[in-house]
Structure formats: C-alpha cells, structure tokens
Amino acid sequence: MSLNFHENHRLLYGAALATFVALTVVIAIVPARWVQEHTEPLSGSRALTEQERRGLAIYVAEGCLYCHTQQVRPLPVDKPFGRPSAPGDYARLRPQDVWRMTPALLGTERTGPDLSNVAARQPSDTWNYIHLYNPRAVVKGSVMQAYPWLFAIRETPGPGEVIVPVPPDYAPRGGKVVATQAAQDLVAYLLSLKQTPLPGGELPEQAAGAPSGAVTPGASVYAAHCASCHGSNGEGVPGVFPPMKGDPVVTAADPARHIHIVLFGLEHAAINGVNYAAEMPAHKDELSDGEIAAVVDHERTSWGNSAPTVTAADVARIRKQGGP
Amino acid sequence: MPVQRPLAVEKTHIDRIIDVDFHLTRLVYAYVACAAGWLVFGSLVGEYVGIHLAFPDLGVHPFLSFGRLRPIHTNVVLWGWSSLGIIGLALYVVPRTCQKGLASTRLAWASLWLLNAALLAGTVLLAAGVNNGGQEYREFIWPVMGTYALGLLLLAGNLYRTVARRSITEIYIANWYIVAAFLWTLALVVTAYLPWYQNGLGETVIQGYYMHQGVGMWFTPMVLGLTYYFLPKFLNKPIYSYSLGVLAFWTQLLFYTLIGAHHFVFSPIPWWLQTVAIIFSVGMFIPVVAGTGNFLLTMRGSRHALVRSYTVPFLLVGILFYFVGSGQGTVEAFRSLNPLWHFTNFTVAHSHMTMYGFVAFLIWGGIYGLLPRLTGQEPPHLLIGIHFWFALVGILIYGISLMIGGTEQGERWIAGAPFIDSVRLMASYWLWRAVSGSLMLAAHLIFAYNTWRMRPQALPAHTAEAAGESA
C-alpha cells in the first residue's frame, strides 16, 4: 500500500474528504450550534402570532427576502434602518414545517430597503395594502413586484371585508379592491417587524431614522415618520393620504390641532370634501416634544406653506391636556 | 480566380475522431443536451427577471413574479446547466485519463434521470411558491434535493470505482479535482440539509458556508479538473506544472472551505468567524494564481492554436475570468470595501462573471472540443464564433454595467440619499443588463442548435468498420 497521493486513490480521496469534513465541523457546524444554543430572544420581544406566522410563510414563498434584507449592520450607512441587528433578534426563528428550513431572513441583497424595523417607518396598514397591490401607487419609481393576486375585486364588498382605497390611477375599472386573508396575514407580519430595544442600550437616536444627509431635524423626522404616506414633496397620495401642502390644519394660524393630530392620531378625516379612510397613527410614544415641534415646523414652513411655528413647550402643553 | 475570403479567421477542422465506446458517446451527449436545454430555459427566466426590474408591472401572475422566478433562474443554471454540463464532460474525462471504461454506463443513465427529475420537480415547486426557506441555492426542499443528491452519490461511486480500476499507476490531476468535488459536494449537501444546528442565526452560519462551497467546492474544482485535461489536450502539449496543480488542489481545499462567512460581513454572526473568512479570502490568491498561472503558462507560445482553434478561445476567457472573478470575491470581503459593495448589484455582477465568464466558458470549451471528436459531427464554425462573441460581449457588458451601477448604489447609500434614489439610478444599468442578457440568450440558442448539430448519428462509420474488421 503506497502512501503516495498520486498512486493511492483511497488515501487521496480519503484525505480530501476527511479534511473537508473536519473543516466543516470547525467552521460551520460547531459555530452554528454554538450560536443556536447561546442566543436567547431579547427580553421585551414576543413570539409571532399565528396570523403573523402565516404572513411570514407568504413572505418566504413569494421570495420577498431576495430583495429585502432584515439585517442592520453596525455601520453609519445602515442607520436609517434601525439599530444594529443582534443575534437575539433571530433567536425565535425555527423551521416553518417538516418540509422547509428556518427562513433565511437576513438576506444578501438590498434591491429594496431593509425591513428589520419597517413597522416603525410604515405603521399604516392601509399604506401597506396599497403598496402590495401596486407599489407604484405610493412609491414613485419603485421596481417592486405588484401582488394583485393577494387581493380580490368585489362589486359590493361584504361586511367585515378589508377595503383597500387604491388611488384612482391604479384602481381597477369596476369594483372595489379587498384584501384577501393572505394579504392580511402578510401585512400583519410586516407590521410585526419592529425592533425590540436592546437591554441597556439606548434606542439609537431616531432608530426609525432619517437619512443621515437630511438637512434639518424636522426634515429628518418627516422623512422617517411621515413621508411614506404624505409624500416627501408633501403632496400625499390622492384620495388616500391627504397632502400637507396647503392643508387647512397645517396652515392654520393656531397650531394646536396640528400638534394634537401628530401626537394622538386621527380617524375618518374629511379634508376639503375628501373622505380619507386610512387611519393616521399616534406618535406620542415614539417622538419627543422636541421632535414633534421640529416636524410640525417643517410641515408648516415647507412646500409653500408659511404658518407660525411652534416650540417644544407648546407640544408639552397639548400632550399634557391629553387626547384624543 | 478570386480568393475566397472567409468571414472570420478560418478555424481548423477536427483532425480525428476519438475511438470511443458508442454507449459512452451517447451518455456524454445526453448529459450535454440536457445541460443545453436547462441553459436555454434558465437564461430565458434570467432574461425575464432582468427585464422585470426595468418594467415591474410585467408579471401579474404568481408564476411570473420576480420572487418566484429568481430562485428558478439560479437553481436551473447552477444545478441544471452548469452541473449537468460538467458531469457530462467528467464522464468522458475520468475513464479516458484512467484508460479504463466507465464503471457503469447504466448507473450513469440512472443518475441523469434522477438529476433531471429533481430539477423538474424543484422548478415546479418553486413556481408554486414552495421553497426551503429562501436560502440561496438550497431552495429545493429536502425530498427534491435528496433525489438530486442520490444522483450525485451514484455518480461519485461510479467515477470513484473507475479511478480505482485505472490501468495506469498515477491518478491524473484532473481526477483529483473531479472525484474530490463529488465527495465534497455530497458532504456539503448533507451538512446544509440537516436541521439540528440551524435555528435562528445557526441557519445563517450554515448558509454562508453552503452558498460559498456550493460554488467553490463543486463548480470550481470540477471545471479546473476538466481544464487540466482539455487544455493540454487541445494544445497538444503537457500541462506546464503538475506540482502547481497539486498545490492549488490542497490550498483550495484548506482556504476555500473556511471563507463562507464572508457573505455575512458585519452581520450579527460571530465576529471571529467573519475575520477568519476575510483572512482566508486573501489566502485564496495562492490557489487562484497557481491555477491561472499554470494554465496561462501552458498556453504560452500557442498563439497559433488560439487563433486557429474554435475551442481554445473559450478556455482562455474562462481562465481569465477565473482570475478576475476570484480577485473580485477577495476584495469584496474586505471590511473596508464590503460596506460599499455588499447588498448592491456589484455582487450580482460578481456572481455572473464567475458562474458565466469562468464556469460556463470552460464548459463550452470542453463541449466544443470534445463532442465533434466523439460523434464526428462538427457544427458550423461561424455559429460557434457567433456564440463565442455574443456570450463574451454579453458578459462584459453585464459585468461592467452592474459593477458601475452597484458602486453608485453603494455610494448613494453612504451619502445618505433617500433609498429610492438608489433604485432609480439603476434603471439605465438594468437596461444594459437586459441588452447583454439578450446577447447571452441568443448565444445560448445558437449553442443549443450547435449541440443538436453535434448529435451522435447511429453508429459512426469508423466504429462500424472496426466492428467489420473484427468479425
């Protein structure tokens, strides 16, 4: 028996395979197992609900993760997407069923934005439904796949059905767009994507965050919390999300109602004869008085608006009065 | 009489037909023909998803949606085209360099059926939205991948036994790479599909390892092994250095296996794992330089062959892209450059320059060099030339436009521009991608036709004669 790799095929292939397997154990299996066993879910986080789990299954089946990462790196460039991801963020992930493995949510490509903390940026379910029905209805220039098959068209929607107020240019000719169970599950999952604060760590300054290049604090809060519905140009989405440009409340001399709406949200608004079905979420827990003052000022002085500005003290006073 | 000027440089016709068992010829051809079929299908899907980015309202049926077609494209070109192509060539090269018949032609046919069945089932399931959890290149659920792995296992045994029964003492270097690649890949698939260490981030650790080795311990050693046979064969001279081939073999195994985590630099997986991956990514220069240098030094002084052969240019392009693509991979792993390029289209350029510029060109070189000599049927030289130039210009436009576009994308993010800016700026590059994709698709259609032209026709005359003589 020759101990020469060139002549002994058992030795050659045995050595090649054994080396590979040994390296595999060291570089893949042991670290994977170590990570799995030494990571706990973050305190304050919760497991997905049954509906959110179904939504995650759709997220995986439709291949959302090929274009959207859920992985915020500890780099300045990733700041707009939230705080850096921690191992605990993924600790609850398990195989979907006996056929499928743990979803690969971290992703490797960002054709679209990171979704780790998307629910903080896009908390409106209406926005998410419209965006899934046709992304271009709410984001000009988006190249995302539209998912009309997650919706149904009804001549007369039944009671309890989720009607999606698609802007006229993108709406079907006849009937109303309603969200199927699948769409509701997927949106429930997307709205669950909200980063849990790290224990002891500060919630990084406006995690939901603004592009670092934004000029004023107000513009940066607006970009992070308001622009997805009201538009970065303040023009909203016709018939769905009201414009800020020339809005009677935003341009009113008395800022009290403007501040109140930002703090406590609003339902069933009728503005200039248009009924807006989408609900405006409250921001009292997410934004400080200073941030709300900054964003209110930004809205009152941009896009041709020129209304009196406010201070953090004004916001604090209205916050104290309570609402809604 | 006016001189007849050919449209391009006239290429040399094959000088002789290799006397080989007709059953083996048919087997090799079947693998290559299936590979060509999957290539046409896979690149059609690729072209469609590429165009989809430029015209996002194109697909309104779930089967035509980007998220479902993307894994079909990648899995079909990886496990269909590239894998069947290299296996087909290996089924010729291994017995030839062992001077012994293939251990079992019948089992190799069984493998082909298993591989194709898995690919077909996997494709249908992916279209229906059934995937393994979205892990890149292991999207096939385990029953499908298990079928595929069974096909590979049978082939591994088949080729191993062929080497074990060889008529010569030494194991030729090509067979080091080829048989080892089968063994590594089987170990890899088993590791990737066992669930016990893949909850939470454990999955990510394995995914980095898997998606990396899937390329680097399967396609790379397979095409390198094949090139260690085809290049000297077509140039009709020995390989420059046998030892460099051996050095590259062991360093490839030691370094490449350790660098999977470089796909997750700055992710929450353990920092030391990322550091090891980055260090050994640099170490990869040793096998890459050894391999590329060995091939280029073998080609030195063979300008004539390069000009006159319709095969060698494919090999040269493949060798050069091996060097360029590997270098790209190393620098993308650096912590200094990773933030610029990671998550951008730069990585898309990289994956195509390696799997296409490197792997596909070497496979084509092997196919065009081998099949005519097996079957006696040569495709029109002009069509081979068009295939070559369309594919080459296609991959160059593809790679360069997405490298520039990806860099701009990364710069835009770093500058803190709104995200949608990085989407909008890609529009023109995606248009170039669609153009280059069309060139490549056209090349593949021509390749499919050429493959048809190279088909074995009943019993070739010389075999019949030989049979007659012995009678």
Side-chain angles (χ1 to χ4, degrees):
Chain A
M1 174 105 347
S2 153
L3 281 181
N4 183 338
F5 285 131
H6 297 268
E7 293 173 4
N8 186 337
H9 53 268
R10 282 204 193 91
L11 182 69
L12 172 65
Y13 297 130
L17 181 61
T19 308
F20 184 71
V21 171
L23 291 174
T24 296
V25 170
V26 173
I27 202 69
I29 295 179
V30 168
R33 200 163 167 84
W34 188 89
V35 168
Q36 171 176 311
E37 286 179 356
H38 288 80
T39 316
E40 294 295 321
L42 297 176
S43 63
S45 69
R46 61 166 180 86
L48 294 180
T49 65
E50 196 43 46
Q51 182 180 29
E52 289 159 358
R53 275 178 56 83
R54 292 198 304 267
L56 170 59
I58 296 166
Y59 185 88
V60 171
E62 296 296 350
C64 304
L65 40 74
Y66 293 117
C67 294
H68 294 285
T69 54
Q70 286 189 34
Q71 175 193 170
V72 183
R73 300 166 298 173
L75 298 172
V77 59
D78 276 16
K79 238 182 156 180
F81 300 121
R83 63 155 171 79
S85 299
D89 289 331
Y90 310 94
R92 293 182 196 276
L93 287 175
R94 292 284 182 280
Q96 269 177 265
D97 51 36
V98 69
W99 307 106
R100 282 169 272 225
M101 305 185 74
T102 311
L105 293 183
L106 276 79
T108 56
E109 219 185 311
R110 244 178 223 166
T111 308
D114 185 273
L115 299 184
S116 306
N117 201 32
V118 67
R121 293 198 302 274
Q122 324 277 27
S124 157
D125 55 356
T126 306
W127 185 90
N128 275 292
Y129 284 128
I130 300 172
H131 186 243
L132 285 173
Y133 182 76
N134 189 326
R136 282 150 293 286
V138 281
V139 181
K140 297 275 170 291
S142 167
V143 297
M144 187 173 117
Q145 170 76 49
Y147 293 91
W149 57 89
L150 296 178
F151 298 85
I153 311 295
R154 296 260 193 283
E155 284 306 323
T156 45
E161 285 197 294
V162 178
I163 300 170
V164 182
V166 180
D169 286 354
Y170 296 88
R173 293 240 172 111
K176 295 242 185 279
V177 176
V178 299
T180 61
Q181 188 60 46
Q184 296 176 38
D185 294 347
L186 182 53
V187 169
Y189 172 67
L190 292 173
L191 293 182
S192 79
L193 294 175
K194 207 166 185 177
Q195 287 185 318
T196 310
L198 288 176
E202 80 294 22
L203 187 64
E205 201 185 323
Q206 256 353 290
S212 48
V215 268
T216 65
S220 110
V221 176
Y222 184 84
H225 292 269
C226 319
S228 67
C229 292
H230 296 294
S232 51
N233 52 8
E235 289 177 2
V237 176
V240 187
F241 302 116
M244 296 289 95
K245 185 178 174 179
D247 178 87
V249 170
V250 173
T251 53
D254 177 8
R257 179 144 176 79
H258 187 180
I259 295 171
H260 190 275
I261 292 173
V262 176
L263 274 169
F264 301 109
L266 184 65
E267 268 180 85
H268 307 302
I271 303 164
N272 293 337
V274 183
N275 286 308
Y276 293 96
E279 182 187 338
M280 157 100 179
H283 292 86
K284 60 181 175 3
D285 300 329
E286 301 168 76
L287 298 178
S288 67
D289 292 342
E291 285 166 334
I292 291 184
V295 77
V296 165
D297 282 356
H298 178 72
E299 290 170 359
R300 295 175 85 77
T301 56
S302 303
W303 320 297
N305 295 350
S306 59
T309 56
V310 303
T311 64
D314 296 332
V315 179
R317 185 169 42 79
I318 294 171
R319 188 191 284 272
K320 228 175 183 175
Q321 290 167 4
Chain B
M1 216 170 94
V3 182
Q4 286 290 320
R5 288 212 173 273
L7 192 58
V9 176
E10 198 164 0
K11 300 285 184 180
T12 317
H13 287 270
I14 50 165
D15 47 357
R16 64 199 171 86
I17 294 168
I18 305 167
D19 190 12
V20 68
D21 177 12
F22 187 62
H23 296 292
L24 184 66
T25 299
R26 279 194 11 191
L27 175 72
V28 171
Y29 184 80
Y31 271 87
V32 170
C34 291
W38 287 114
L39 175 65
V40 169
F41 173 66
S43 42
L44 199 65
V45 173
E47 169 82 338
Y48 175 86
V49 292
I51 291 174
H52 198 288
L53 286 168
F55 303 96
D57 282 317
L58 209 55
V60 291
H61 189 276
F63 278 29
L64 294 176
S65 71
F66 185 94
R68 297 196 192 181
L69 286 177
R70 183 191 187 271
I72 292 181
H73 166 66
T74 52
N75 283 284
V76 161
V77 295
L78 292 176
W79 299 119
W81 147 244
S82 309
S83 299
L84 293 186
I86 50 186
I87 295 169
L89 294 173
L91 286 171
Y92 171 81
V93 169
V94 175
R96 189 76 188 174
T97 52
C98 291
Q99 296 185 14
K100 195 81 187 176
L102 182 66
S104 168
T105 311
R106 190 200 285 254
L107 272 182
W109 277 103
S111 290
L112 181 60
W113 281 104
L114 286 170
L115 301 179
N116 276 320
L119 283 161
L120 205 61
T123 301
V124 171
L125 286 168
L126 287 178
V130 180
N131 66 53
N132 189 35
Q135 285 91 350
E136 284 173 84
Y137 322 139
R138 49 174 176 152
E139 280 102 342
F140 289 164
I141 55 172
W142 65 262
V144 173
M145 203 56 190
T147 308
Y148 196 90
L150 181 62
L152 288 185
L153 181 67
L154 293 179
L155 283 163
N158 211 340
L159 293 174
Y160 180 85
R161 279 186 295 148
T162 308
V163 174
R165 295 175 189 174
R166 68 193 178 281
S167 308
I168 46 172
T169 322
E170 287 224 339
I171 306 163
Y172 183 61
I173 188 71
N175 297 331
W176 288 44
Y177 282 89
I178 293 170
V179 177
F182 275 94
L183 301 177
W184 294 333
T185 305
L186 284 166
L188 176 70
V189 171
V190 172
T191 308
Y193 276 81
L194 293 180
W196 304 304
Y197 35 80
Q198 302 204 43
N199 290 338
L201 271 189
E203 180 278 325
T204 308
V205 173
I206 299 297
Q207 175 58 16
Y209 158 86
Y210 171 82
M211 73 161 109
H212 199 73
Q213 320 305 334
V215 179
M217 302 310 278
W218 173 236
F219 299 110
T220 304
M222 283 295 277
V223 286
L224 292 181
L226 293 170
T227 306
Y228 273 107
Y229 173 78
F230 285 122
L231 189 66
K233 189 82 196 164
F234 299 152
L235 295 178
N236 204 14
K237 61 170 96 119
I239 193 81
Y240 173 77
S241 162
Y242 204 87
S243 313
L244 274 179
V246 172
L247 171 77
F249 176 84
W250 292 114
T251 45
Q252 164 93 12
L253 169 59
L254 288 174
F255 297 166
Y256 209 94
T257 313
L258 298 175
I259 62 184
H262 77 191
H263 291 262
F264 290 99
V265 174
F266 293 114
S267 80
I269 66 171
W271 195 252
W272 68 265
L273 208 57
Q274 303 177 29
T275 306
V276 168
I278 296 167
I279 292 169
F280 285 100
S281 301
V282 179
M284 275 308 290
F285 269 116
I286 297 173
V288 170
V289 170
T292 315
N294 206 1
F295 293 140
L296 290 181
L297 287 168
T298 305
M299 294 182 85
R300 192 171 57 168
S302 299
R303 256 186 66 88
H304 182 76
L306 185 63
V307 175
R308 286 294 171 182
S309 158
Y310 52 76
T311 306
V312 178
F314 280 100
L315 297 185
L316 177 65
V317 169
I319 292 162
L320 293 177
F321 267 102
Y322 174 47
F323 185 75
V324 172
S326 304
Q328 250 182 343
T330 298
V331 295
E332 281 179 82
F334 293 162
R335 288 208 173 100
S336 52
L337 288 169
N338 186 275
L340 174 62
W341 285 327
H342 193 43
F343 294 147
T344 71
N345 275 248
F346 193 94
T347 56
V348 184
H350 170 63
S351 58
H352 285 80
M353 287 164 75
T354 46
M355 280 310 297
Y356 196 90
F358 165 40
V359 174
F361 269 83
L362 288 180
I363 298 175
W364 284 321
I367 290 174
Y368 281 132
L370 180 63
L371 279 191
R373 289 179 168 86
L374 286 183
T375 66
Q377 308 294 326
E378 250 186 327
H381 290 189
L382 183 65
L383 286 184
I384 302 179
I386 295 176
H387 169 185
F388 176 81
W389 286 109
F390 275 26
L392 179 60
V393 173
I395 187 61
L396 284 175
I397 296 178
Y398 191 106
I400 292 169
S401 63
L402 288 192
M403 278 165 71
I404 298 173
T407 308
E408 272 196 51
Q409 236 181 334
E411 286 173 340
R412 206 62 67 98
W413 292 343
I414 290 170
F419 190 88
I420 193 73
D421 281 14
S422 71
V423 178
R424 291 200 181 111
L425 83 90
M426 285 309 293
S428 58
Y429 299 106
W430 285 336
L431 206 62
W432 279 110
R433 183 227 292 255
V435 170
S436 60
S438 310
L439 279 173
M440 293 190 263
L441 182 59
H444 303 165
L445 290 169
I446 293 168
F447 166 65
Y449 173 75
N450 286 344
T451 305
W452 169 248
R453 289 288 295 261
M454 293 185 284
R455 71 194 180 281
Q457 317 220 328
L459 280 182
H462 72 285
T463 320
E465 275 168 30
E469 277 165 25
S470 63

